[in-house]
Amino acid sequence: MHQSLDPAMQAYINDSKRFTPIDSTLQARRAAFLQACRHCTPPAPKGWRITDIEIEGLRLRCYQPDAEPPEGGWPTLLYLHGGGWDLGDLDTHDWFAHALAGRIHLAIVAVEYRLAPEHPYPAPLYDCQKAWAALRNGSVDARLSRTRLMIAGDSAGGTLAAGLCRALHRKGQPQPLGQLLVYPVLTARQHLPSMQVHAEAPMMTVAGLKQSLHGFLPNEADRNDPCAMPLETDDFAELAPALVLTARIDPLCDHGIAYAAALTAHGVPAEVWIGEGMVHSSLRAFGVAEVERAWDRMAGQLRLWAGI
């Protein structure tokens, strides 16, 4: 199954093993995840302003070019981090904004949503909705646009990003200009082929996914809610245009493919980009040729959505 792994990708996987938790406790897992992410984080972008903000008890981190914003404010990407809904915070995922900032001039607002299992669904989604509303009403930063808004998330954050689009639609509120999802979890069911073919893939196993889902969705009924698991619906019309990046060697590969196909079937512009030889989490494998292509593809799509 893993014969197609690029040597550089294999080196990333091997390197990641250095950050195995010292035990199985949640505290140890969170500490190890922070170490692993910091190890991969590029330097902070030069010429950017990075500020932490608190909105009604919710922590946000705003990254924006330290320059005069365009008329109407900086186009802004709301970013929701991965980590299985139970790991991650503003410090674990600086790498996303740092890497993107080297490719495109827009603002990025990261959300420190509440984590499972202490705060299962819908608490994390409520926090993301609160952050979105703050952007829409201009209470995050006056230099940010209130209308040129997009959403992105990787892994568990991709679930929340797609769920936010669904929640906005349910309330009759405007959609983002686009949704950028990177190897998202979109159903709790096990029926898609990649869930069997890549069940023991590096960096993400089906067993590990089940553990994360148990913490995020302890209530079985919530697994049928499309705001929690966005493939659990027959209606995908009127949602935001999407770019979905999947990793070929990942049990979640077919999640993203199915979501893009469902959007397209309902008249929503959507494209899936499959990272050949990529594994789950490999957006942090900087320097691997296919990963660099993924970053370039994301930046290009955001540029189109933002009109810059």
Side-chain angles (χ1 to χ4, degrees), residues 201-271:
M203 309 300 292
M204 164 66 83
T205 65
V206 168
L209 174 60
K210 287 180 179 177
Q211 180 183 356
S212 295
L213 283 165
H214 180 72
F216 178 56
L217 298 171
N219 180 355
E220 288 285 336
D222 286 337
R223 300 184 178 209
N224 299 317
D225 179 355
C227 288
M229 289 286 115
L231 276 174
E232 300 305 326
T233 180
D234 295 324
D235 182 11
F236 295 84
E238 300 178 342
L239 294 173
L243 172 62
V244 188
L245 278 81
T246 63
R248 178 68 79 185
I249 306 170
D250 183 349
L252 299 175
C253 184
D254 288 338
H255 288 228
I257 292 171
Y259 187 67
L263 290 173
T264 301
H266 285 78
V268 176
E271 183 178 343

Side-chain angles (χ1 to χ4, degrees), residues 128-144:
C128 299
Q129 289 177 277
K130 184 189 290 187
W132 181 259
L135 286 173
R136 293 280 303 173
N137 66 30
S139 60
V140 175
D141 188 310
R143 295 157 51 92
L144 308 185

Side-chain angles (χ1 to χ4, degrees), residues 2 9 35 76 106 122 178 181 231 233 286 298:
H2 310 317
M9 183 62 69
Q35 287 183 313
T76 301
L106 47 63
L181 313 179
L231 276 174
T233 180
F286 296 106
M298 289 190 292

